[in-house]
Amino acid sequence: MRRRTLAASLGAAAVAATAVPGTAGAKTSGRCEDAYTWRNAVVNGGGYVPSIVFNETEADLIYARTDIGGLYRWQEDTQTWTPLLDWVGWDNWGWSGVVSVATDPVETGRVYAAVGTYTNDWDPSPGAVLYSDDYGKTWGAAELPFKQGGNMPGRGMGERLAVDPADNAVVYLGTPNGNGLWRSVDHGRNWSEVDNFPNPGNFVQDPSGDYSDDNQGVVWIEFDQAGRIFVGVADPADPLYVSDDRGQTWQPVPGAAQIGTVDGNKAIPKQAAIDHANGHLFIVTSWDPGPYNGGPATGKGGAVWRLDLATGAWTDVTPAYSPTGKTPGFGGVTVDRQRPGTLMAASENNWYPDEIIYRSRDSGATWETSWDYAFDANWSWPPARADRFTMDPSGSEWLSFGAKDDGVAYAVKHGWMIDALAIDPHDSDRIMWGTGATIWGTERLTEWDAQGPLVGWDAVAGHQVALPVEQFTVAVRAEGLEETAVQDIAALGGTLVSATGDLGGFVQTDLGKAGKQIRRPDWSSGRSVDFAALNPDVVVGTGDVHGDVDGHVGVSVDRGATWLTTKRLEGVAGGANAGTVAVSADGAVIVWTPGDNATAPVFSTDLGQTWTPVEGLPAGAKVRADRVDANRLYAFAAGKVYASGNGGLTFTATAATGLPSEGDVDLRAVPGKRKHLWLVGGKADGVYGMWRSTDGGVSWRRIRDFEEADAVGFGKGRGRRGYPAVYTSAKAGGQRGIWRSTDEGLSWQRINDDAHQWAWTGKAVTGDPDVYGRVYIATNGRGLIYGDIAP
């Protein structure tokens, strides 16, 4: 195998993660006249957390990595998470996907993050290893000659990064797609392939798709106290290697091949943990790399194995009992450093009724479960359910997803996709686990051990009974970690409505608290929102829907407090066909463009109960309403602008030319200004930028300050009668940023800075109608950011 060596791309120059004043490009060359403070509109989590890593030597030093939203460090004094990668900018947006994190056990300020979001062509950039010497306050980057998959299948396996505790200048990285095992000997600055490592892995989840066809590769690295290095490989026939000479030579671990199958299903070693005191290496395996799939069609989906590091003996210590009678596979595994012999593991996607968390206090010989069934004498369904702890979603009440407890299926669950499972190595009472939506945790874990069995036998009645136990509480531990992918924003003034990927959307009247989730209609992902400018009680939105019952369009007549379902449009299937929606300024007409790119826009005058085809618009046209004149609506499609003067019933193409005919384009109408429109978007190497019209889209003037622009919105103007402030996510003079104009686009100032870039911000930007200077920014994984002028 040829040797590949890579030098750090930034050398000694670190990327600062501290605030500095923004420098305006375009027509303004100085500093922004207003300093800004940046916060999140709180949701608390909202996305998948694949891993939580505690430092082994410094108490309360904890990192959580996300698949698209960067890396976070725990703040013990506030019990919140601090984002560490907000400096990642537009050109390297893929670095917001973190596939692994390692925290140095020797010099604890050192931390490493392996980044890169997709290994296919969705992400054009190669991956990198980011390195920091100061707990993530500043960073350097070593680019790699291959991609990494922070949002690909298998991203919950690992950790793929590991610091050698015997020589902390040495850091290892396991990689996918045949790239093998890599090593740095200078604290992550330079990397080279370990050319004598013999196996780059071969397990592919599904070779038929370009998202699922990764060779999962080299999965994790662990060090024992004898100085040996163990490496897990996604190869069912040869899954484990060891080096006892500091990585100079490598050998397959004898007997390891037996862990590569379970009930006839191929299995790979997803995670591992070493109990140093007892000399045990624990490995959880699964038939699937995760994080989406449940169990296989037949048989068990995974196992827990124990390797005696002194004798080399293997023991299958898979829990013998599951309340559901099945083992879909395993996600996370963790050991208790303070209590040798104690370990825990989590099922991976035991969808009904809940995930199962297992705990053993005898090195896997016996296990207890986090919940159990108690059947009556007739084995009636549903049985009673007995639980060791209660789930407290306070502050994140949306975690019920609008459901109610239904027998054994609770509305608020242990979670799903539990690959992140970690007992604090300094405190046996603290555990955290990540799910597809949040982080759960408790500081009362050892109360489990005093509870005894959950279910007993009533000999008189002749059936099982739930035994009384003193439950402890598990609560949300995601405060400060914001991971939603925001699709659209509507700022009504005092109320903020957002459409979000995976979660539908939120309505917030207090930006410091998680708002009301939009659950009816039953959106999986919200796609667009709008409100009637002259009657802002009327709010509309679209979302991808589950099944074929609810319509894609939702309507509220009370500022989002409650939502009405609309009629499903015949011929438009459920799923990802939400498209975009607009409502006339008086709220009388709703115009919806389905997202199937085959169905022409339709309008409704009865809050979505009936739909009528719009005349004059092609499929896929994006429609916006004039913010003053209820009869006027506008649309854009394939380089053409259309206008309606009869409330959106019919449209006619204007004579506009020179606008983008390719790429993503957005059109927005200006509050308080009849016929005023702004348009942004286009395609790189083509027509791309920003334009404005003051005559209803008939003629357009290009804003030449920007070579690229992707989102535009409006907020309160500087003076009482001033033109609304204009905000945009755009590129001026080679500088990407969030820009503001207070003089109708005559001059612009960049209001963010290099420490606050949030990767990709091209989906939506808007101001606030009541608060001058406030701007809301949709990010793809860092939630809904808002900025205010600093006092």
Side-chain angles (χ1 to χ4, degrees), residues 168-192:
N168 70 314
V170 177
V171 188
Y172 283 91
L173 171 67
T175 71
N177 292 323
N179 292 296
L181 180 67
W182 284 62
R183 178 171 52 206
S184 170
V185 296
D186 58 1
H187 301 289
R189 272 64 174 171
N190 299 277
W191 291 84
S192 59

Side-chain angles (χ1 to χ4, degrees), residues 6 88 137 149 175 198 253 383 385 409 478 530 568 574 763:
L6 187 73
V88 172
K137 296 176 183 177
T175 71
V253 173
R385 175 171 159 172
D530 193 19
R568 172 65 61 86
K763 200 69 175 180

Side-chain angles (χ1 to χ4, degrees), residues 354-370:
D354 210 341
E355 292 282 30
I356 306 165
I357 296 177
Y358 299 88
R359 182 172 172 89
S360 172
R361 297 189 299 279
D362 53 15
S363 300
T366 62
W367 297 84
E368 295 172 326
T369 59
S370 55

Side-chain angles (χ1 to χ4, degrees), residues 249 621 772:
T249 60
Y772 169 67

Side-chain angles (χ1 to χ4, degrees), residues 489-562:
I489 311 167
L492 283 59
T495 301
L496 186 70
V497 184
S498 58
T500 60
D502 296 332
L503 300 180
F506 290 88
V507 179
Q508 295 178 267
T509 56
D510 182 343
L511 299 178
K513 297 179 180 178
K516 177 182 176 63
Q517 188 183 31
I518 301 171
R519 292 303 309 165
R520 194 71 177 168
D522 185 16
W523 292 342
S524 55
S525 289
R527 296 299 178 186
S528 74
V529 288
D530 193 19
F531 66 98
L534 303 180
N535 182 14
D537 285 351
V538 178
V539 185
V540 297
T542 62
D544 303 335
V545 292
H546 296 100
D548 294 305
V549 179
D550 289 345
H552 292 83
V553 179
V555 181
S556 173
V557 295
D558 54 12
R559 299 175 69 88
T562 60

Side-chain angles (χ1 to χ4, degrees), residues 667-686:
L667 173 71
R668 298 284 175 167
V670 182
K673 300 294 179 180
R674 184 174 180 269
K675 294 187 177 183
H676 281 225
L677 304 171
W678 292 65
L679 184 144
V680 291
K683 185 178 181 181
D685 301 322

